[in-house]
Structure formats: C-alpha cells, structure tokens
C-alpha cells in the first residue's frame, strides 16, 4: 500500500499484489446529487452516465465497455448525495490500456446532443426500474419528506422530465449545463 498526492492535488492509494490475476482502479469525485442545480435535478447522476461514453482520445462509443468485456472484467459507477464513484476491474494484462481509456473520462469526455438524448433515456429507464425496489422507494420517500430547502431533499436520480422536458421549457441549454457541471 502506498498513498500519494499528485501535482494537481488529487490523492491516490496504490495497492499492489503481484500474485493477483486481476487489476482494478476507482476514482471517487466528491460531488454528488446534493450539488444538482434546481433547474436540472439528477444532473450529477446524468453526468456520471455521460462521462462513461466517449472521450476525445477514445471517440468510439463504449470503448471502455468493449475493452472490459474482452478481458472478462466489470465496470460501473454510482452517484450518492455527496460523491460519485467510477470503477473497473480487468485481467492484469489489460489493465494499462483500460486505465488509459478510463482516465480520459476525466480528461476529455465528449458531451453531445445525440449522446445526451440516448443517455437520458437510460437514466429514465433506471429511474422507472427502481420504482419497485424498496431501497430506492425509501430513498425517494426520505427526499420527499425532508426539508424542501435542504439539498438532501433533491430528486437525485433524474428522469426525462427533470433532465430534458423542464430544462428545455425553461430555456436551459442542457449540453452547456452538463459541461459546466462537469467542469
């Protein structure tokens, strides 16, 4: 185990096990749903989805997913009220190349209108699927009964209404808002 701090202030924990056949990496960003602007609830979760699609260095849709699948790995992300976590695990031989693809999510992601529409549909589908899951029902209930002035009471998952319909009706440029939030 070794803790380091990079020149940009990012802190990292490096763990090495030479006997392991798998390697993994995770990035935890200390921004979550409580940072969502009122005009686009669910933006942090939506940003999590968008970051995983393309980057300038790796512009083919789902380069990461394809690389991970080919090496029998896994990748995912999750957004909480205070943070967002991205992670992957692959066979050790595929780690370096996968890490390069992964790192570009945080260097030069691509946010476009066409990608946005597809991914809002994915977020909306996730929201609808979770309506019947007790954990998510409880979380939604806590958001609804909480103090409406508190950031904790924000609807964090997002759906088509909060990510496209209402913002567009209010003249919000969704791609620019997403890019600003990401920055």
């Amino acid at each position: 185990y070794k803790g380091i701090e990079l020149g940009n202030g990012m802190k990292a924990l490096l763990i090495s096990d030479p006997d392991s056949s798998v390697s993994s990496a995770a990035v935890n960003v200390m921004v979550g749903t409580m940072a969502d602007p009122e005009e686009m609830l669910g933006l942090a979760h939506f940003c999590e989805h968008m970051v995983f699609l393309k980057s300038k260095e790796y512009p083919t849709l789902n380069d990461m997913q394809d690389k991970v699948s080919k090496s029998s790995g896994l990748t995912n992300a999750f957004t909480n009220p205070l943070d967002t976590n991205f992670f992957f695990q692959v066979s050790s031989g595929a780690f370096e190349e996968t890490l390069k693809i992964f790192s570009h999510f945080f260097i030069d992601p691509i946010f476009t209108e066409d990608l946005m529409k597809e991914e809002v549909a994915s977020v909306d589908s996730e929201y609808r699927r979770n309506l019947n899951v007790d954990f998510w029902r409880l979380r939604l209930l806590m958001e609804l009964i909480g103090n409406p002035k508190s950031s904790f009471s924000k609807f964090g998952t997002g759906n088509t209404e909060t990510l496209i319909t209402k913002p567009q009706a209010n003249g919000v440029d969704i791609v620019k808002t997403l890019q600003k939030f990401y920055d």
Side-chain angles (χ1 to χ4, degrees):
Y1 294 85
K2 181 178 181 180
I4 62 170
E5 185 169 341
L6 303 176
N8 63 3
M10 180 184 279
K11 295 177 181 173
L13 175 62
L14 307 174
I15 303 170
S16 176
D17 178 355
D19 297 326
S20 179
S21 61
V22 297
S23 296
S24 61
V27 170
N28 197 65
V29 180
M30 298 305 295
V31 177
T33 60
M34 289 175 69
D36 286 348
E38 290 299 324
E39 68 270 10
M40 262 185 95
L41 297 177
L43 184 57
H45 180 225
F46 176 53
C47 186
E48 167 219 307
H49 276 246
M50 289 294 292
V51 163
F52 252 101
L53 298 178
K54 287 184 179 185
S55 68
K56 290 175 185 166
E57 183 71 21
Y58 296 93
T60 304
L61 186 61
N62 294 319
D63 268 339
M64 179 73 172
Q65 303 297 71
D66 293 344
K67 182 68 178 167
V68 168
S69 293
K70 288 177 184 170
S71 63
S72 302
L74 59 93
T75 185
N76 210 339
F78 58 87
T79 304
N80 287 317
L82 296 173
D83 65 332
T84 303
N85 187 281
F86 304 84
F87 60 92
F88 74 89
Q89 176 181 305
V90 292
S91 61
S92 292
F95 181 72
E96 189 173 329
E97 186 179 349
T98 308
L99 183 62
K100 285 179 186 176
I101 297 169
F102 183 74
S103 69
H104 279 274
F105 293 155
F106 310 103
I107 296 169
D108 58 358
I110 295 175
F111 302 137
T112 63
E113 183 108 11
D114 60 324
L115 289 174
M116 176 203 70
K117 288 178 181 175
E118 277 185 47
E119 212 52 37
V120 166
S122 177
V123 169
D124 190 76
S125 176
E126 184 178 335
Y127 159 71
R128 293 184 189 289
R129 182 181 66 242
N130 288 337
L131 287 174
N132 294 319
V133 177
D134 288 341
F135 169 82
W136 292 106
R137 285 179 171 186
L138 180 59
R139 186 168 172 175
L140 184 58
L141 178 63
M142 290 181 350
E143 291 168 357
L144 290 171
I145 65 173
N147 181 344
K149 294 180 182 178
S150 167
S151 293
F152 182 77
S153 69
K154 290 181 178 178
F155 171 56
T157 303
N159 59 24
T160 302
E161 184 177 338
T162 65
L163 295 169
I164 290 185
T165 306
K166 284 184 179 178
Q168 283 181 339
N170 293 321
V172 174
D173 183 319
I174 297 167
V175 174
K176 283 184 181 177
T177 302
L178 174 63
Q179 184 67 54
K180 182 180 176 185
F181 184 85
Y182 170 84
D183 289 343

